[in-house]
Amino acid sequence: MNIFDKPYSPKEVEEKIYKKWEDSRYFNPDSASRRITGKDKKKSFSIIMPPPNANGSLHLGHALMIALEDIMIRYKRMRGFKTLWLPGADHAGFETQIVYEKKLEKEGRNRFQIPREQLWREIWDFTQANKKNMESQIRRLGASCDWSRKKFTLDEDIISKTQDAFVEFYEKGLIYRGKRLVHWCAKHQTGFSDLEIVHEEKLDPLYYIKYGPLTIATVRPETIFGDTAVAVNPKDSRYKEFIGKEIEVDVVIAKLKLKVIADKFVDSDFGTGAVKITPAHDLNDFEIWQRHKNEIKGPVEVINKYAKMDLVKHFPQSEEAKKYEGLKVLEARKLIVEDLEKRGLIEKIDAAYKHNIALCYKCKTIIEPRLMEQWFVKMEPLAKPAIEAVKKGKIKFIPDRFKKVYFHWMKNIRDWNISRQIVWGIQIPAWQCQDCDEWMIFKNKPQKCRKCGSINLEQDTDVFDTWFSSGQWPFLALGFEKTKKLKNLNTKSDYKTFYPTSVMETGWDILFFWVARMIMFGLYRTKKIPFENVYLHGLVRDEFKQKMSKSKGNVIDPLGVVNEYGADALRMSLIIGNTPGNDLAFSEDKIRGYRNFANKIWQASRFVLMNLESFNANKKPEFSAIDKKYLKEFEELKKKIAKQMESFKFYLAAEEIYHYFWHTFCDKIIEEMKARLNGENDNPPASGRQAAQFLLFEILKESLKLLHPFMPFITEEIWQNLPGNKNKMLIIEKW
RNA sequence: GCGCGAUUAGCUCAGUGGUAGAGCGUUUCAUUGACAUUGAAAAGGUCGCAGGUUCAAUCCCUGCAUCGCGCACCA
């Protein structure tokens, strides 16, 4: 029975072929490289798959990532490299926790009422189920990754080594605990790093408030209770006489004695040129306080973690204070403005002052800066070598322009708050004495407090920012051991063979979150770059360039597409027309086009095979001039495509082979050969037919190889049905 | 505010210092002989605007405009 008697059915073929690949174990470099010969056999090529978040299903962005990486991997494997693509899944700390919290909400439950261990277990089960589902989805997309090496970011060894890193950083002085203003989301009840907040332009009233003898302008009058000073620019002649003096300010619930200080930060042209200083609730004011620690009073916290007023403790004797207690920030703002107005203390109000406010990136709740003790990583010493490595070209960015964005961020980097007040993550190995508050950093619980000797020690309940562990993913996933000397490592160690990895392929949107941190951590811990190339893909958008989102209803499910049109068609439609760093407009029309192309490959193969009667592959026929021209052309095409593959121009390579196969091989060569295959216009008939057969068969075979990285399933299926290819597999053929 | 992109055919995008390219779409024609998931052909572009460099600019430089994005502690 000839497989070409039926139309090509991706659904049947793809699952069958994937199973064959897995059974062959050729995804594993140890098996595959034994079968491939070539001068590059000893060289390795490795990609660590960015582990998808184990909190949902794969979306088109994942499909794009899989397609790109599989193309590189298959190409290099066929080129004879020892090729490893290591798959994994990410526990995705905060992200997963909020996905799970939404689920809890639907069930009428609340995370704050669930004991820590139980919540952890529940989320664990949740991620395990997602993980399994995602792995099968990755298979459907044709990923030739080595499943025997798959890793999860909460595997025991990963947790352990992440904690080691924290201890090591601490010992080297790169970690400190500090009471700082932290970006706090009152809804999620956790602090964030600078990257997890977004800024949004907003119009708010700007209040001019009589402030003792001065007038100040503010958008947050409710923080007035926490004011500890007034600042002016040292050069501002209007306020010269006040500098260094104390003024008395009526803040409704009390009279505050505040010192006037001079600081260059203050812009004389803004507002009145005098600024109220609230170190507990404003990042700038906090910094001003730090510069004037000896002159003025420190932070007075008047807003609590629920973003509600909390001031009676500071003003116990004030009756008025009780009125404000427990009010939400915005309610308190309204009330204080009313009260100030009653006292004639509001000078004027600019109704629509345009400014930027900080929001939680996830729920868009207004960030309430809050004074908290957290663990911070000193970034500057880590950033320096990471900037150098890119500057010197040890790590290349594709596209190159992202270097600039990277440098800009790295040069202005600030210390990184890695404490998160959630349960889903790797718990920080820090222990606090309950008697004297001393902190100790050890992998395991110390016997007793080093300061007071108490045995009453508790572990920090906070967990790491998930990027603290993902930042170390490339070397941790490859089994890096800090404790052993490198030369003592088993020679078969994956770390030794595959690190530094060849390419990190991921979305540009996580350049700072992830890529930059991997470079910093990699250089610091392993003394090597974690990868040689960074390939950054863009966002997959809908056909109108709109972001896909559930609420817009324009989400395309990659698995739905695979079921209807096949993974090969999906992959082509994600690759062609998609340049690195740019977003992609995606539509079903496009997929249909490549489904048609798959059919074209099928039909062309069918035609060539149908006409192979009495063909002797071992006997090289006499080629005509035009035959030679075609063969030469094809050789040139191969070289061109190889060059494009090496320079990461997959969109060009794919288009090139697509165009050649359809419009040169099918439309021209096959059409021309038809007459010769039928023995027409041929003298003597046999040789012309032989040459035509040879030519068609040769170009078909070689085209399948060129197409394989892009469309692995259909090419493999056809390959195995070519005469003489029984039990042979295209996946390990020499390119 | 600082920075980064983009601007080329109806749409989505490539591209190059020397008569403009692809895919999709459109129009016309063809066709039971691998394939209608097809073939042949056609229409369609002052390559955002203004200067400059050059023998020659869509490409290099400068400025401007429009759109998009990133970063950012001016109350």
Side-chain angles (χ1 to χ4, degrees), chain A residues 59-115:
Chain A
H59 51 68
L60 277 176
H62 293 117
L64 171 60
M65 162 189 100
I66 298 291
L68 281 166
E69 291 170 27
D70 199 39
I71 287 166
M72 297 186 232
I73 289 288
R74 285 181 187 270
Y75 170 72
K76 287 289 180 178
R77 189 187 290 117
M78 291 175 84
R79 279 265 152 167
F81 283 71
K82 194 166 177 149
T83 306
L84 171 65
W85 186 15
L86 191 150
D90 194 342
H91 72 282
F94 174 69
E95 290 274 338
T96 299
Q97 172 140 347
I98 49 178
V99 170
Y100 199 76
E101 277 174 25
K102 275 190 192 144
K103 193 171 153 240
L104 288 175
E105 218 174 289
K106 276 186 198 149
E107 295 165 6
R109 298 158 75 204
N110 180 320
R111 76 141 145 142
F112 299 105
Q113 291 155 359
I114 303 173

Side-chain angles (χ1 to χ4, degrees), chain A residues 175-198:
Chain A
I175 297 253
Y176 63 93
R177 190 170 177 84
K179 202 165 189 183
R180 297 296 186 83
L181 273 194
V182 170
H183 305 297
W184 176 262
C185 174
K187 174 167 184 227
H188 291 123
Q189 290 289 300
T190 182
F192 285 131
S193 72
D194 296 327
L195 287 177
E196 284 144 319
I197 57 163
V198 291

Side-chain angles (χ1 to χ4, degrees), chain A residues 220 222-223 281 300-311 329 368 370:
Chain A
R220 297 204 59 186
E222 75 282 4
T223 61
H281 299 291
V300 177
E301 296 178 73
V302 293
I303 297 168
N304 67 14
K305 66 176 178 176
Y306 303 109
K308 289 178 177 169
M309 301 312 290
D310 181 20
L311 33 79
V329 164
E368 194 58 62
R370 223 182 131 230

Side-chain angles (χ1 to χ4, degrees), chain A residues 500-514:
Chain A
T501 61
S502 313
V503 180
M504 172 48 63
E505 190 287 319
T506 190
W508 57 257
D509 51 323
I510 50 175
L511 178 61
F512 306 144
F513 280 105
W514 199 38

